[in-house]
Tab-separated table of all heavy atoms in Angstrom:
chain	number	residue	atom	x	y	z
A	59	GLU	N	3.028	4.605	-0.260
A	59	GLU	CA	2.712	5.488	-1.387
A	59	GLU	C	3.903	6.408	-1.678
A	59	GLU	O	4.236	6.663	-2.838
A	59	GLU	CB	1.472	6.340	-1.079
A	59	GLU	CG	0.212	5.548	-0.746
A	59	GLU	CD	-0.497	4.987	-1.976
A	59	GLU	OE1	-0.039	5.235	-3.108
A	59	GLU	OE2	-1.509	4.289	-1.791
A	62	GLY	N	6.866	4.392	-2.789
A	62	GLY	CA	6.452	3.795	-4.062
A	62	GLY	C	6.635	4.716	-5.261
A	62	GLY	O	6.565	4.267	-6.407
A	63	GLN	N	6.894	5.994	-4.999
A	63	GLN	CA	7.179	6.900	-6.129
A	63	GLN	C	8.558	6.634	-6.733
A	63	GLN	O	8.811	6.989	-7.882
A	63	GLN	CB	7.169	8.357	-5.657
A	63	GLN	CG	5.820	8.863	-5.212
A	63	GLN	CD	5.954	10.271	-4.669
A	63	GLN	OE1	5.725	11.239	-5.355
A	63	GLN	NE2	6.349	10.377	-3.410
A	66	GLU	N	9.170	4.130	-9.966
A	66	GLU	CA	8.638	4.677	-11.221
A	66	GLU	C	9.286	6.019	-11.553
A	66	GLU	O	9.524	6.333	-12.726
A	66	GLU	CB	7.120	4.797	-11.147
A	66	GLU	CG	6.467	3.430	-11.217
A	66	GLU	CD	4.982	3.493	-10.976
A	66	GLU	OE1	4.565	3.811	-9.839
A	66	GLU	OE2	4.227	3.243	-11.929
A	67	GLY	N	9.592	6.797	-10.494
A	67	GLY	CA	10.271	8.079	-10.718
A	67	GLY	C	11.568	7.853	-11.495
A	67	GLY	O	11.988	8.703	-12.300
A	70	ILE	N	10.972	8.422	-15.298
A	70	ILE	CA	10.313	9.609	-15.881
A	70	ILE	C	11.198	10.233	-16.964
A	70	ILE	O	10.728	10.559	-18.053
A	70	ILE	CB	9.941	10.638	-14.786
A	70	ILE	CG1	8.815	10.066	-13.925
A	70	ILE	CG2	9.505	11.974	-15.404
A	70	ILE	CD1	8.468	10.875	-12.697
A	78	ARG	N	3.993	9.295	-22.943
A	78	ARG	CA	4.244	8.348	-21.840
A	78	ARG	C	4.855	9.053	-20.639
A	78	ARG	O	4.571	8.714	-19.492
A	78	ARG	CB	5.184	7.226	-22.310
A	78	ARG	CG	4.540	6.237	-23.247
A	78	ARG	CD	3.575	5.331	-22.514
A	78	ARG	NE	2.897	4.455	-23.441
A	78	ARG	CZ	1.677	3.967	-23.256
A	78	ARG	NH1	1.002	4.264	-22.181
A	78	ARG	NH2	1.145	3.170	-24.137
A	79	LYS	N	5.711	10.052	-20.921
A	79	LYS	CA	6.351	10.800	-19.820
A	79	LYS	C	5.283	11.552	-19.022
A	79	LYS	O	5.274	11.532	-17.793
A	79	LYS	CB	7.376	11.782	-20.406
A	79	LYS	CG	8.308	12.384	-19.331
A	79	LYS	CD	9.043	13.618	-19.847
A	79	LYS	CE	10.097	13.334	-20.865
A	79	LYS	NZ	11.369	12.904	-20.295
A	80	GLN	N	4.343	12.200	-19.752
A	80	GLN	CA	3.296	12.957	-19.054
A	80	GLN	C	2.439	12.038	-18.192
A	80	GLN	O	2.090	12.366	-17.068
A	80	GLN	CB	2.389	13.650	-20.079
A	80	GLN	CG	3.018	14.867	-20.708
A	80	GLN	CD	2.126	15.436	-21.819
A	80	GLN	OE1	1.546	14.691	-22.606
A	80	GLN	NE2	2.024	16.741	-21.882
A	81	ILE	N	2.098	10.873	-18.771
A	81	ILE	CA	1.229	9.942	-18.037
A	81	ILE	C	1.942	9.440	-16.779
A	81	ILE	O	1.375	9.423	-15.685
A	81	ILE	CB	0.808	8.752	-18.934
A	81	ILE	CG1	-0.054	9.243	-20.097
A	81	ILE	CG2	0.065	7.687	-18.126
A	81	ILE	CD1	-0.335	8.184	-21.162
A	82	LEU	N	3.219	9.082	-16.941
A	82	LEU	CA	3.962	8.546	-15.794
A	82	LEU	C	4.136	9.610	-14.709
A	82	LEU	O	3.980	9.333	-13.514
A	82	LEU	CB	5.324	8.010	-16.265
A	82	LEU	CG	6.137	7.247	-15.218
A	82	LEU	CD1	5.394	6.007	-14.714
A	82	LEU	CD2	7.494	6.814	-15.802
A	83	LEU	N	4.416	10.837	-15.165
A	83	LEU	CA	4.580	11.943	-14.213
A	83	LEU	C	3.295	12.139	-13.408
A	83	LEU	O	3.325	12.284	-12.185
A	83	LEU	CB	4.915	13.206	-15.019
A	83	LEU	CG	5.488	14.408	-14.282
A	83	LEU	CD1	6.745	14.021	-13.533
A	83	LEU	CD2	5.823	15.507	-15.293
A	84	ALA	N	2.161	12.107	-14.113
A	84	ALA	CA	0.871	12.307	-13.434
A	84	ALA	C	0.630	11.177	-12.433
A	84	ALA	O	0.148	11.391	-11.321
A	84	ALA	CB	-0.261	12.350	-14.457
A	85	LYS	N	0.996	9.959	-12.816
A	85	LYS	CA	0.774	8.809	-11.932
A	85	LYS	C	1.615	8.943	-10.663
A	85	LYS	O	1.127	8.769	-9.548
A	85	LYS	CB	1.120	7.506	-12.664
A	85	LYS	CG	0.944	6.310	-11.753
A	85	LYS	CD	1.590	5.069	-12.296
A	85	LYS	CE	1.217	3.830	-11.512
A	85	LYS	NZ	1.753	3.772	-10.166
A	86	VAL	N	2.889	9.304	-10.861
A	86	VAL	CA	3.777	9.417	-9.698
A	86	VAL	C	3.296	10.546	-8.776
A	86	VAL	O	3.327	10.421	-7.547
A	86	VAL	CB	5.249	9.590	-10.150
A	86	VAL	CG1	6.158	9.881	-8.980
A	86	VAL	CG2	5.723	8.325	-10.872
A	87	GLN	N	2.786	11.629	-9.374
A	87	GLN	CA	2.234	12.717	-8.541
A	87	GLN	C	1.010	12.243	-7.762
A	87	GLN	O	0.802	12.626	-6.620
A	87	GLN	CB	1.840	13.911	-9.418
A	87	GLN	CG	3.041	14.738	-9.817
A	87	GLN	CD	2.664	15.903	-10.720
A	87	GLN	OE1	1.677	15.847	-11.445
A	87	GLN	NE2	3.450	16.949	-10.683
A	88	ASP	N	0.187	11.407	-8.421
A	88	ASP	CA	-0.986	10.854	-7.713
A	88	ASP	C	-0.536	10.107	-6.462
A	88	ASP	O	-1.171	10.183	-5.409
A	88	ASP	CB	-1.735	9.837	-8.587
A	88	ASP	CG	-2.590	10.476	-9.669
A	88	ASP	OD1	-2.738	11.703	-9.680
A	88	ASP	OD2	-3.113	9.712	-10.514
A	89	GLU	N	0.556	9.340	-6.578
A	89	GLU	CA	1.014	8.538	-5.425
A	89	GLU	C	1.403	9.469	-4.270
A	89	GLU	O	1.135	9.168	-3.109
A	89	GLU	CB	2.206	7.636	-5.778
A	89	GLU	CG	2.044	6.733	-7.002
A	89	GLU	CD	0.913	5.727	-6.925
A	89	GLU	OE1	0.224	5.666	-5.901
A	89	GLU	OE2	0.706	5.002	-7.924
A	90	ALA	N	2.025	10.609	-4.605
A	90	ALA	CA	2.373	11.578	-3.553
A	90	ALA	C	1.088	12.054	-2.871
A	90	ALA	O	1.012	12.126	-1.639
A	90	ALA	CB	3.123	12.761	-4.149
A	91	GLY	N	0.063	12.338	-3.681
A	91	GLY	CA	-1.220	12.782	-3.121
A	91	GLY	C	-1.816	11.718	-2.191
A	91	GLY	O	-2.308	12.024	-1.111
A	92	HIS	N	-1.730	10.446	-2.611
A	92	HIS	CA	-2.276	9.365	-1.774
A	92	HIS	C	-1.561	9.346	-0.422
A	92	HIS	O	-2.182	9.182	0.618
A	92	HIS	CB	-2.081	7.996	-2.439
A	92	HIS	CG	-2.795	7.870	-3.748
A	92	HIS	ND1	-2.657	6.776	-4.564
A	92	HIS	CD2	-3.664	8.692	-4.385
A	92	HIS	CE1	-3.400	6.942	-5.646
A	92	HIS	NE2	-4.011	8.094	-5.565
A	125	PHE	N	8.376	-2.334	-3.024
A	125	PHE	CA	9.182	-1.203	-3.490
A	125	PHE	C	10.673	-1.385	-3.220
A	125	PHE	O	11.472	-0.487	-3.481
A	125	PHE	CB	8.619	0.113	-2.932
A	125	PHE	CG	7.183	0.281	-3.330
A	125	PHE	CD1	6.169	0.329	-2.381
A	125	PHE	CD2	6.833	0.324	-4.674
A	125	PHE	CE1	4.839	0.433	-2.757
A	125	PHE	CE2	5.500	0.427	-5.066
A	125	PHE	CZ	4.508	0.478	-4.112
A	135	MET	N	7.619	-0.520	-16.098
A	135	MET	CA	6.577	0.490	-15.839
A	135	MET	C	5.205	-0.114	-16.139
A	135	MET	O	4.219	0.203	-15.481
A	135	MET	CB	6.800	1.746	-16.681
A	135	MET	CG	8.071	2.495	-16.333
A	135	MET	SD	8.138	2.993	-14.586
A	135	MET	CE	9.030	1.640	-13.855
A	136	GLY	N	5.163	-0.980	-17.149
A	136	GLY	CA	3.913	-1.677	-17.439
A	136	GLY	C	3.589	-2.661	-16.327
A	136	GLY	O	2.461	-2.703	-15.815
A	138	VAL	N	4.588	-2.702	-13.218
A	138	VAL	CA	4.243	-2.064	-11.938
A	138	VAL	C	2.786	-1.599	-11.979
A	138	VAL	O	1.998	-1.860	-11.064
A	138	VAL	CB	5.214	-0.893	-11.614
A	138	VAL	CG1	4.701	-0.065	-10.448
A	138	VAL	CG2	6.609	-1.433	-11.294
A	139	GLY	N	2.401	-0.908	-13.059
A	139	GLY	CA	1.020	-0.428	-13.135
A	139	GLY	C	0.034	-1.592	-13.140
A	139	GLY	O	-0.941	-1.608	-12.392
A	140	TRP	N	0.311	-2.576	-13.972
A	140	TRP	CA	-0.617	-3.707	-14.113
A	140	TRP	C	-0.677	-4.547	-12.827
A	140	TRP	O	-1.760	-4.776	-12.276
A	140	TRP	CB	-0.161	-4.566	-15.308
A	140	TRP	CG	-0.866	-5.875	-15.477
A	140	TRP	CD1	-2.182	-6.142	-15.230
A	140	TRP	CD2	-0.288	-7.105	-15.944
A	140	TRP	NE1	-2.464	-7.462	-15.523
A	140	TRP	CE2	-1.319	-8.067	-15.964
A	140	TRP	CE3	0.996	-7.466	-16.363
A	140	TRP	CZ2	-1.104	-9.392	-16.366
A	140	TRP	CZ3	1.213	-8.773	-16.774
A	140	TRP	CH2	0.175	-9.726	-16.774
A	142	VAL	N	1.376	-4.255	-9.703
A	142	VAL	CA	1.517	-3.642	-8.371
A	142	VAL	C	0.275	-2.808	-8.053
A	142	VAL	O	-0.327	-2.950	-6.985
A	142	VAL	CB	2.822	-2.814	-8.283
A	142	VAL	CG1	2.914	-2.081	-6.956
A	142	VAL	CG2	4.033	-3.723	-8.511
A	143	ASP	N	-0.122	-1.949	-8.992
A	143	ASP	CA	-1.356	-1.186	-8.740
A	143	ASP	C	-2.560	-2.120	-8.754
A	143	ASP	O	-3.521	-1.907	-8.020
A	143	ASP	CB	-1.512	-0.063	-9.757
A	143	ASP	CG	-0.521	1.063	-9.501
A	143	ASP	OD1	0.616	0.976	-10.014
A	143	ASP	OD2	-0.859	2.010	-8.775
A	144	GLY	N	-2.495	-3.178	-9.564
A	144	GLY	CA	-3.587	-4.167	-9.587
A	144	GLY	C	-3.736	-4.840	-8.218
A	144	GLY	O	-4.846	-4.986	-7.701
A	171	GLU	N	-8.155	6.564	-8.500
A	171	GLU	CA	-6.897	6.871	-9.194
A	171	GLU	C	-6.088	5.602	-9.469
A	171	GLU	O	-5.484	5.457	-10.531
A	171	GLU	CB	-6.098	7.899	-8.378
A	171	GLU	CG	-6.814	9.238	-8.388
A	171	GLU	CD	-6.171	10.332	-7.554
A	171	GLU	OE1	-5.233	10.041	-6.779
A	171	GLU	OE2	-6.615	11.476	-7.656
A	172	GLU	N	-6.118	4.664	-8.519
A	172	GLU	CA	-5.359	3.415	-8.717
A	172	GLU	C	-5.906	2.636	-9.914
A	172	GLU	O	-5.177	1.928	-10.595
A	172	GLU	CB	-5.421	2.502	-7.481
A	172	GLU	CG	-4.799	3.046	-6.210
A	172	GLU	CD	-3.291	3.176	-6.242
A	172	GLU	OE1	-2.691	3.227	-7.336
A	172	GLU	OE2	-2.701	3.255	-5.146
A	174	PHE	N	-7.113	3.940	-12.658
A	174	PHE	CA	-6.475	4.535	-13.840
A	174	PHE	C	-5.022	4.047	-13.950
A	174	PHE	O	-4.535	3.706	-15.038
A	174	PHE	CB	-6.549	6.069	-13.741
A	174	PHE	CG	-5.463	6.798	-14.477
A	174	PHE	CD1	-5.459	6.844	-15.863
A	174	PHE	CD2	-4.439	7.449	-13.789
A	174	PHE	CE1	-4.443	7.520	-16.548
A	174	PHE	CE2	-3.429	8.113	-14.465
A	174	PHE	CZ	-3.424	8.148	-15.844
A	175	HIS	N	-4.333	3.953	-12.822
A	175	HIS	CA	-2.923	3.520	-12.840
A	175	HIS	C	-2.802	2.096	-13.379
A	175	HIS	O	-1.903	1.779	-14.145
A	175	HIS	CB	-2.331	3.537	-11.420
A	175	HIS	CG	-2.291	4.901	-10.816
A	175	HIS	ND1	-2.023	5.120	-9.481
A	175	HIS	CD2	-2.473	6.131	-11.375
A	175	HIS	CE1	-2.046	6.421	-9.242
A	175	HIS	NE2	-2.328	7.047	-10.366
A	176	GLN	N	-3.733	1.258	-12.947
A	176	GLN	CA	-3.668	-0.149	-13.372
A	176	GLN	C	-3.867	-0.232	-14.885
A	176	GLN	O	-3.163	-0.936	-15.581
A	176	GLN	CB	-4.738	-0.956	-12.618
A	176	GLN	CG	-4.545	-2.462	-12.679
A	176	GLN	CD	-5.284	-3.097	-13.866
A	176	GLN	OE1	-6.042	-2.427	-14.563
A	176	GLN	NE2	-5.041	-4.381	-14.081
A	177	ARG	N	-4.813	0.572	-15.380
A	177	ARG	CA	-5.083	0.536	-16.826
A	177	ARG	C	-3.912	1.077	-17.640
A	177	ARG	O	-3.604	0.569	-18.713
A	177	ARG	CB	-6.337	1.355	-17.163
A	177	ARG	CG	-7.576	0.538	-16.899
A	177	ARG	CD	-8.744	1.453	-16.561
A	177	ARG	NE	-9.835	0.644	-16.053
A	177	ARG	CZ	-10.904	0.326	-16.775
A	177	ARG	NH1	-11.016	0.729	-18.014
A	177	ARG	NH2	-11.847	-0.401	-16.252
A	178	GLN	N	-3.260	2.135	-17.112
A	178	GLN	CA	-2.126	2.664	-17.882
A	178	GLN	C	-1.006	1.623	-17.911
A	178	GLN	O	-0.332	1.460	-18.917
A	178	GLN	CB	-1.686	4.058	-17.398
A	178	GLN	CG	-0.963	4.140	-16.054
A	178	GLN	CD	0.520	3.812	-16.115
A	178	GLN	OE1	1.180	4.143	-17.089
A	178	GLN	NE2	1.036	3.162	-15.075
A	179	GLY	N	-0.852	0.868	-16.820
A	179	GLY	CA	0.183	-0.176	-16.797
A	179	GLY	C	-0.139	-1.268	-17.811
A	179	GLY	O	0.736	-1.728	-18.559
Side-chain angles (χ1 to χ4, degrees):
E59 302 281 358
Q63 293 176 97
E66 288 173 293
I70 291 172
R78 287 287 176 209
K79 192 196 289 278
Q80 284 174 319
I81 295 171
L82 188 61
L83 196 56
K85 178 194 190 291
V86 173
Q87 281 178 333
D88 283 352
E89 308 299 358
H92 298 174
F125 303 117
M135 295 303 94
V138 169
W140 171 36
V142 175
D143 288 87
E171 292 177 350
E172 297 291 21
F174 154 72
H175 297 168
Q176 195 269 353
R177 278 152 191 257
Q178 72 81 36

